[in-house]
Amino acid sequence: MPDGVRLSPSARRASRSGEPRSLGRFAHLAYGVLGAVLVLGLWQAAAASGRFGSGLPSVLETLSALAGLLGTAAFWSELGATIGIAAIGLAVSSVIGVVFGVLAGRFPLVRSATLAVTEFLKPIPPIVVLPLAVMIWGPTQQMAIFLVIVGCALAIAIQTIAGVEDVDPVALSTARSYGIGTAESLWRIVLPSSLPFIGTAMRIAAPASLVVTVVAGLLGGSPGLGRSIYLAQSAGEVANMYALVVVLGVLGVAAQGISSAAERRLLHWHPSFRKTGS
Amino acid sequence: MNTRKIISVAVGVLVPIALLAWWYLASAGSLNPFFPPLRDIVVRFKELWLFDHFATDVLPSLGNLFVGFAIAVILGVALGFAMATVPVLNAMLSPVVQFLRGIPPVALIPILITLVGFGNEMRVASIVIAAMFPTMLSTIDGIRSVEPGLKDVGAVYRFSRGDRLLRVYLPSSLPQIVSGMQVSLQVAFIVMIASEMLGSSQGIGAMTLLAQQSFMSADMWAGILLLGLIGFLTNILFDLVKNRVLSWYVSSKRLERAA
C-alpha cells in the first residue's frame, strides 16, 4: 500500500492541472527558445553537410536573403497584393455567405433546394477549379479573388445556417407577436444572435483566404507572394524562396492571431463569450 | 407538417436534376471556349478516365493521396501523443509547430522540389508534411481534454504507461483525433493536386492543368469533374468509416442529451 500512496498524489495533482506535469512559465519559454534553436541548428548542420547541394541554403543565407527582400519595393508590393486579394475575397465571401446563410437558415425551402449542391461542393477545394479560373481570367487579380470566394463563401454560409438555426425561437415568436416584420426580425434578431457562429467562420476563413491567395499565385500566376515563390524557384534563387516561405509563415501566424483577437473584441457582448469570461 | 416535408424532399431532389438538365441543354452547341457542351465533357470524361489514363494517371494520384495520408496520420498521432504527454517536448516543439502551421501547405512544395526533385517521393513527402499538422494538433487537444476522472482511475488501478495510453487516452481522445484526420484528408487532397500541377507531367492535376494550358476546355472540365468527384467521394467514405468507428461515441452523446 505505501507504494500506492506515493504514486497517487502525483497522479492527482497532474490531472487537476490538465497537463501531466505542467512546467512553469519561465521554463516553458526557455524550452521553447531551446527547441527553436535546436531546429535552426539542425537546419544549419544539414545545409553545411552539403547533402542537399544548392537545394538547401544555410540559416544565415536565408536571413540575409530575407533582409535583402525587405529592402526591395517589389517585395512590399507583392505582400500588399497578397493581403489585398485575401481581404477583398474575404469581404465578398462574407457578404455572399451571410446573405445566403440567413436565407437558407430561415427559409426551409431555400435550404432544401440548395442542400444537394452545397453538400456536393463542400469538400471540393478551390484548387480544383483553378484551371477554369485561369482559363477565363488569366493570371490576374480577379482570378485569385474568385478562388478565395470559392474557398471561403460556402464555409461561412454553412456556419451562418447553423447560427440561424440556433436562434432562440422564443425571441422570434416575441418579435412576431409584437408585429415585427420578416425583414426586420432577420436584421434585428436572427443576424445578431447568429454572429458568434459567423465570427467563428470568419476566424477560420481569414487565414484560409491567405492560403488560397498563395495557391492562386503559385499555381495560377496571380500577383502576390505565391507568384514570387514560383519565380524564385524557377530562377534557382533558393535562398530567396526560403525567405519568402518564412515570410508566409509569419503572415499566417499573424492572420490567425489577428482574427482570433478580432473575434473576441467584436463579439465580447454576446452571451456565449461573456459566459467563458474571455 | 407531412406535406411540407414531402415538398422539401421533392424540391431537394428536383433542383439539382433541373440544374444538370439546364447545364446540358444550355451548353448544347455552345461555341464559348470556356464552357463547352456538357455532352462533350462527358464524352471526354469517358475517353480519358475510363480507362485510358486510369492506370497511368488516376491510380498514381490516388495512391499518393492514400499513402501520404496514411503516413501523415501515423506520424501526426504519434507526435501528438508525444507532445501531449511529455511536457518538456511540448514546450520545446510548440513554437516551431505554431510557426510551421502558419505556412500555407502548398508553399512547402517548391522547397521539397529543390530538396528532392520532381519525383514521386516529393509528392508523397509534401502530402505527408502538410497533412500531418491537423491530425497532430487535434491529437494534442484530444489528450489534453481527457477527463481528469478517467486519468485518476487509470492511476488508481496502476495501469502501466502503455496501457494508459492505449486504453484510456486513445479511446477518449479518438473523436477529436478523427475530426483532425478529416481535415488532414482534405489538406492531403489539395496538396496532391498542387504537387502535380507544379512541374509534373503525370497525375490528374497535371493533366487538368495541361489541358487548360493547351485550351482543350472539354478535357479540362473532365479533369475538374473527376477531381471534384474524388474530393466528394473520399469525404463521404471517411464519414462512413468515422460513423462506424465512433458509433459508441455518438450513442453515448445521445444518451447524455436524453438524460
Side-chain angles (χ1 to χ4, degrees):
Chain A
M1 209 58 211
D3 200 23
V5 175
R6 214 164 48 220
L7 264 176
S8 204
S10 83
R12 184 135 309 193
R13 213 174 332 121
S15 53
R16 291 286 172 266
S17 63
E19 272 175 56
R21 194 162 15 95
S22 52
L23 301 164
R25 221 202 174 102
F26 178 74
H28 210 273
L29 195 73
Y31 277 121
V33 172
L34 181 68
V37 169
L38 269 179
V39 169
L40 289 177
L42 273 178
W43 173 0
Q44 183 75 26
S49 77
R51 253 202 85 217
F52 296 100
S54 58
L56 184 64
S58 71
V59 178
L60 286 179
E61 281 167 342
T62 305
L63 286 179
S64 76
L66 180 61
L69 277 178
L70 295 181
T72 62
F75 167 78
W76 293 104
S77 82
E78 297 296 306
L79 179 67
T82 306
I83 296 174
I85 288 170
I88 295 173
L90 190 63
V92 179
S93 303
S94 61
V95 172
I96 296 175
V98 169
V99 169
F100 172 70
V102 167
L103 291 178
R106 200 69 198 84
F107 304 106
L109 213 58
V110 179
R111 177 103 178 95
S112 52
T114 53
L115 189 64
V117 177
T118 54
E119 284 297 304
F120 179 68
L121 294 180
K122 196 166 64 175
I124 298 176
I127 192 175
V128 169
V129 291
L130 181 132
L132 176 67
V134 175
M135 190 182 251
I136 296 178
W137 287 290
T140 57
Q141 217 166 347
Q142 290 96 293
M143 180 272 285
I145 293 173
F146 170 78
L147 287 181
V148 173
I149 297 170
V150 170
C152 298
L154 189 57
I156 296 175
I158 288 170
Q159 275 291 312
T160 308
I161 292 173
V164 171
E165 282 172 350
D166 194 56
V167 170
D168 185 3
V170 176
L172 280 177
S173 27
T174 308
R176 211 174 306 129
S177 61
Y178 275 102
I180 292 175
T182 310
E184 200 181 350
S185 82
L186 282 183
W187 179 247
R188 293 253 192 120
I189 295 167
V190 174
L191 195 60
S193 56
S194 47
L195 272 182
F197 285 76
I198 300 171
T200 307
M202 297 294 291
R203 168 165 54 77
I204 297 166
S209 68
L210 270 179
V211 171
V212 179
T213 308
V214 171
V215 170
L218 192 61
L219 300 172
S222 62
L225 293 173
R227 186 178 63 181
S228 310
I229 290 182
Y230 178 74
L231 293 175
Q233 191 233 333
S234 48
E237 299 164 353
V238 182
N240 274 346
M241 187 186 80
Y242 273 75
L244 286 165
V245 173
V246 169
V247 170
L248 285 182
V250 173
L251 201 60
V253 171
Q256 281 164 8
I258 292 171
S259 56
S260 11
E263 186 191 14
R264 275 197 305 274
R265 195 66 189 268
L266 295 175
L267 292 174
H268 64 91
W269 51 270
H270 195 276
S272 69
F273 278 79
R274 275 185 306 193
K275 253 183 250 158
T276 58
S278 50
Chain B
M1 195 63 197
N2 229 358
T3 51
R4 207 183 254 183
K5 204 159 205 173
I6 292 168
I7 290 177
S8 95
V9 170
V11 166
V13 175
L14 287 177
V15 168
I17 295 175
L19 277 177
L20 279 178
W22 172 76
W23 183 8
Y24 192 91
L25 294 176
S27 69
S30 155
L31 295 174
N32 185 322
F34 306 136
F35 299 98
L38 180 54
R39 218 184 105 82
D40 295 4
I41 298 173
V42 173
V43 168
R44 288 303 289 158
F45 188 94
K46 264 195 224 144
E47 287 170 0
L48 284 176
W49 310 125
L50 310 172
F51 291 91
D52 202 5
H53 287 268
F54 190 75
T56 53
D57 292 283
V58 180
L59 279 184
S61 293
L62 291 178
N64 285 351
L65 177 65
F66 288 112
V67 170
F69 173 64
I71 300 175
V73 164
I74 294 169
L75 283 179
V77 171
L79 277 174
F81 255 84
M83 278 181 67
T85 50
V86 184
V88 172
L89 202 62
N90 179 48
M92 277 174 71
L93 289 183
S94 68
V96 176
V97 168
Q98 287 303 326
F99 177 74
L100 290 179
R101 199 175 67 127
I103 299 174
V106 173
L108 293 171
I109 298 172
I111 286 193
L112 279 156
I113 290 178
T114 63
L115 287 180
V116 281
F118 287 100
N120 209 41
E121 314 82 65
M122 175 279 285
R123 278 171 248 159
V124 177
S126 315
I127 295 174
V128 170
I129 294 175
M132 193 181 71
F133 286 100
T135 300
M136 181 172 127
L137 294 167
S138 64
T139 304
I140 296 175
D141 281 346
I143 293 176
R144 290 243 172 92
S145 55
V146 170
E147 271 179 54
L150 278 177
K151 292 184 185 171
D152 281 349
V153 171
V156 164
Y157 280 95
R158 295 210 219 130
F159 282 1
S160 70
R161 197 177 167 77
D163 260 0
R164 232 182 297 169
L165 287 184
L166 220 62
R167 301 231 194 132
V168 181
Y169 285 52
L170 186 65
S172 67
S173 53
L174 201 60
Q176 250 158 313
I177 295 178
V178 170
S179 58
M181 281 168 62
Q182 192 150 24
V183 180
S184 284
L185 182 61
Q186 283 154 4
V187 173
F189 180 58
I190 294 173
V191 176
M192 175 203 95
I193 302 172
S195 70
E196 291 169 351
M197 284 182 170
L198 271 172
S200 151
S201 54
Q202 201 192 36
I204 314 166
M207 282 193 63
T208 308
L209 197 66
L210 209 68
Q212 179 259 313
Q213 282 157 357
S214 34
F215 278 91
M216 293 154 76
S217 62
D219 286 23
M220 179 197 74
W221 272 99
I224 290 179
L225 225 55
L226 180 66
L227 288 173
L229 279 175
I230 293 173
F232 177 71
L233 291 176
T234 46
N235 203 51
I236 291 263
L237 203 67
F238 191 92
D239 273 336
L240 285 177
V241 175
K242 178 174 83 176
N243 292 338
R244 201 64 185 272
V245 172
L246 293 181
S247 56
W248 59 270
Y249 175 73
V250 175
S251 51
S252 79
K253 277 274 142 180
R254 205 174 292 143
L255 273 180
E256 228 169 71
R257 220 169 292 146

